[in-house]
Amino acid sequence: MPRRSPLALGLLGLAACLLTAPALGCGPGRGPVGRRRLGRRQLSPLLYKQFVPNVPEQTLGASGKAEGKVLRGSERFRDLVPNYNPDIIFKDEENTGADRLMTERCKERVNSLAIAVMNMWPGVKLRVTEGWDEDGHHLPDSLHYEGRALDITTSDRDRHKYGMLARLAVEAGFDWVYYESKAHIHVSVRADNSLAIRTGGCFPGHATVMLQSGESRGLADLRQGDWVLGAEPGGRLVPTEVLLFLDRDLDQRASFVAIETASPARRLLLTPSHLVFAARGAANATFLPIFARRVRPGDAVLAHGAGGQGLRPARVLRVSWEDGVGVFAPLTSHGTLLVNGVLASCYAVLESHRWAHCAFAPLRLFHELLSLLPGHTEAGNGTVPEAGMHWYSRLLYRLAGGVLGHEALQV
């Protein structure tokens, strides 16, 4: 056995003690974006003036703080999506379509609730009486101004159903449900960029990376110890080792941002809070790590050119959303990797690649020290990673939320 210095062995032992804790399983917020499954158990209606969870609406245990009014035509207005579900009746008394506008999370929850209402009361539909408010009809900090809150009833306006309607809203995954009035139920959700509702930063399983050999490999088949193409801070392509998976779940459902480019033609899917290197407008502008949900048509990303041309700016043609199954978040030694031919960060949630890379330095150090062990390199290659979010990722998110405040993780 090769002789190792006492310092190296001591550091290895210390790192092993600190980092070989058991992995945490999937906690709240996992599953289909945190949605609860409707089982056959007996459901109990909410009582008048009862709210679930039993905390104020704008706390971390519920829908979180208000982030300010969303004005029509503003940058944040782009994040609101219209809901044309035919199984939902929108009152829309302003005749502007405002009640149909909501965040992606709110849309998913209310669509789920609409199905539950029809199953509970055949022939009855969900009715939305208040949605996004642009006219100042609510209190200054109301989540209605952000498209995160709805007031709902049943289409038959049978008030005897409202207690059960509130319970169905809880089961559909709304983050706060309040039997507020005899005339309606109030429901709200966390912000779409909230840490508590994210699956983290991931790519779908069918996405591909390029191995050091030039071969393409699907993320679902990628293994710890594989060498893939990433990039140095200066933008030069380099081989980089897959150290582990920050998240890996074959069955997890998630919403992905689809970024499509031309010349070269690429299509990258990644979760909304994942970081991708992009430049606003002109392709010769500075490329910065931003959340995928912030990318807009006309921006530029860094794509791998054909014939080994290295990285080159590629104009974004369109940005869309689509649902998928399977989430994969490999961590490389450089913190970057090419996915579907587009350069992306390994990190998410905090909109700073540099700080995120520093935060994972202890984990990289541990793997470097572990490589000092004889035979470790050969043994690590081809290792199938465990499913679920890595415990170190979850720990960092909790620490960052406590030290920086959860608002710092949302931007």
Side-chain angles (χ1 to χ4, degrees):
M1 175 185 297
R3 296 180 62 85
R4 306 290 178 189
S5 69
L7 177 59
L9 292 177
L11 287 174
L12 178 60
L14 177 61
C17 292
L18 291 174
L19 296 174
T20 53
L24 293 177
C26 300
R30 303 286 298 171
V33 204
R35 183 183 302 148
R36 307 181 185 191
R37 293 183 179 179
L38 293 175
R40 294 182 177 276
R41 61 189 176 83
Q42 186 69 32
L43 298 178
S44 57
L46 265 64
L47 302 176
Y48 180 56
K49 292 298 182 181
Q50 181 182 358
F51 44 87
V52 176
N54 190 28
V55 295
E57 180 179 26
Q58 294 189 25
T59 60
L60 289 177
S63 294
K65 294 181 179 179
E67 298 181 346
K69 293 183 178 180
V70 174
L71 303 179
R72 189 180 291 271
S74 67
E75 179 75 12
R76 291 175 62 204
F77 182 73
R78 294 183 177 186
D79 294 332
L80 299 184
V81 293
N83 191 333
Y84 296 110
N85 190 337
D87 296 325
I88 302 175
I89 297 173
F90 291 89
K91 186 177 180 181
D92 194 22
E93 57 189 354
E94 300 88 357
N95 200 30
T96 62
D99 287 340
R100 293 183 181 271
L101 294 174
M102 58 193 70
T103 63
E104 286 280 351
R105 179 172 177 81
C106 190
K107 179 179 179 179
E108 181 178 272
R109 295 299 184 263
V110 74
N111 286 345
S112 176
L113 177 59
I115 295 173
V117 167
M118 292 188 297
N119 288 337
M120 177 65 69
W121 302 293
V124 175
K125 291 186 176 182
L126 180 64
R127 177 171 173 262
V128 174
T129 61
E130 287 286 340
W132 175 59
D133 181 6
E134 60 178 335
D135 298 321
H137 294 157
H138 295 83
L139 294 176
D141 61 348
S142 171
L143 299 185
H144 280 285
Y145 296 122
E146 302 175 31
R148 293 166 51 193
L150 302 171
D151 294 340
I152 58 175
T153 72
T154 55
S155 59
D156 60 2
R157 308 184 197 185
D158 182 355
R159 298 185 179 186
H160 294 96
K161 293 185 173 77
Y162 289 178
M164 182 57 72
L165 176 63
R167 174 57 62 187
L168 293 178
V170 173
E171 296 298 318
F174 280 97
D175 297 302
W176 200 69
V177 178
Y178 181 28
Y179 195 164
E180 181 179 35
S181 161
K182 293 289 187 180
H184 69 261
I185 304 298
H186 176 83
V187 296
S188 62
V189 297
R190 299 185 181 109
D192 275 353
N193 55 350
S194 169
L195 168 65
I197 67 169
R198 285 289 165 211
T199 58
C202 304
F203 308 95
H206 57 73
T208 61
V209 295
M210 183 174 291
L211 300 182
Q212 183 180 9
S213 63
E215 172 192 356
S216 293
R217 177 168 296 177
L219 283 179
D221 299 318
L222 196 64
R223 297 291 181 261
Q224 179 180 332
D226 287 343
W227 285 77
V228 300
L229 287 186
E232 292 179 326
R236 185 172 69 92
L237 288 176
V238 292
T240 183
E241 183 182 5
V242 176
L243 303 179
L244 49 83
F245 278 75
L246 301 176
D247 201 353
R248 187 177 188 274
D249 193 329
L250 295 169
D251 302 318
Q252 167 71 21
R253 294 193 61 85
S255 293
F256 296 96
V257 176
I259 301 172
E260 300 180 52
T261 69
S263 187
R266 301 284 185 263
R267 191 170 192 269
L268 173 67
L269 272 71
L270 65 175
T271 46
S273 63
H274 201 107
L275 296 178
V276 63
F277 298 93
R280 290 297 187 198
N284 59 356
T286 303
F287 284 82
L288 299 173
I290 65 173
F291 290 146
R293 63 182 175 82
R294 295 189 185 276
V295 177
R296 296 289 183 263
D299 293 347
V301 295
L302 291 171
H304 188 217
Q309 297 177 1
L311 293 175
R312 52 178 290 189
R315 183 175 178 273
V316 176
L317 288 180
R318 62 183 63 88
V319 179
S320 58
W321 290 68
E322 64 181 66
D323 294 333
V325 179
V327 292
F328 299 82
L331 173 66
T332 67
S333 55
H334 285 78
T336 59
L337 74 167
L338 280 177
V339 180
N340 288 1
V342 178
L343 183 66
S345 170
C346 293
Y347 308 117
V349 178
L350 181 66
E351 201 168 27
S352 172
H353 175 84
R354 182 170 64 90
W355 281 107
H357 196 57
C358 290
F360 281 90
L363 205 55
R364 296 195 302 275
L365 174 62
F366 171 69
H367 280 270
E368 290 177 9
L369 294 174
L370 201 62
S371 67
L372 298 174
L373 292 177
H376 169 73
T377 302
E378 293 77 10
N381 287 336
T383 302
V384 178
E386 295 183 0
M389 182 177 287
H390 195 276
W391 69 270
Y392 189 79
S393 302
R394 198 176 290 274
L395 174 64
L396 280 183
Y397 293 162
R398 290 174 178 171
L399 289 176
V403 175
L404 301 177
H406 284 77
E407 291 78 8
L409 302 178
Q410 300 178 27
V411 179

